Amino acid sequence: MAVKIRLARHGAKKHPYYRVVVADSRMPRDGRYIELIGRYNPLTNPKTIDIDLEKVDAWIAKGAQPTSSAAALINAVRSGEPAPEKKLKKSKKQLAREEAARKAAEEAAEAEAE
């Protein structure tokens, strides 16, 4: 039986809340799991990561494989650092506004210089 340490998504639409679970790899993402070993809430500031490292180590010793996202959370908890923040991409509209404001500021500076 292939056992994975992975995230199970809960919460409402556009408001995710994750449980870190140990589950059979053949089970659905939000389906039956063997054991709940932690929780992750990406909506709080800073992000809330609560994982029982003793249980993680015990399951890894038994052969469980963490997924890439679960491994990143486990490493964040081990290091004691907060979860890395994603950089927000600006929309084309926001970029256009900033460009227009920058040009207006340059023109105003040129007018004052003359």
Side-chain angles (χ1 to χ4, degrees), residues 65-108:
Q65 295 292 316
T67 61
S68 59
S69 55
L73 292 176
I74 292 167
N75 289 338
V77 170
R78 284 189 203 278
S79 67
E81 298 175 8
E85 294 291 327
K86 281 191 174 179
K87 291 185 178 178
L88 296 177
K89 293 183 180 177
K90 295 186 178 181
S91 68
K92 290 180 182 177
K93 225 180 226 184
Q94 289 173 327
L95 292 173
R97 283 185 194 147
E98 288 178 1
E99 183 68 23
R102 188 181 57 78
K103 284 183 180 179
E106 287 177 1
E107 290 174 3

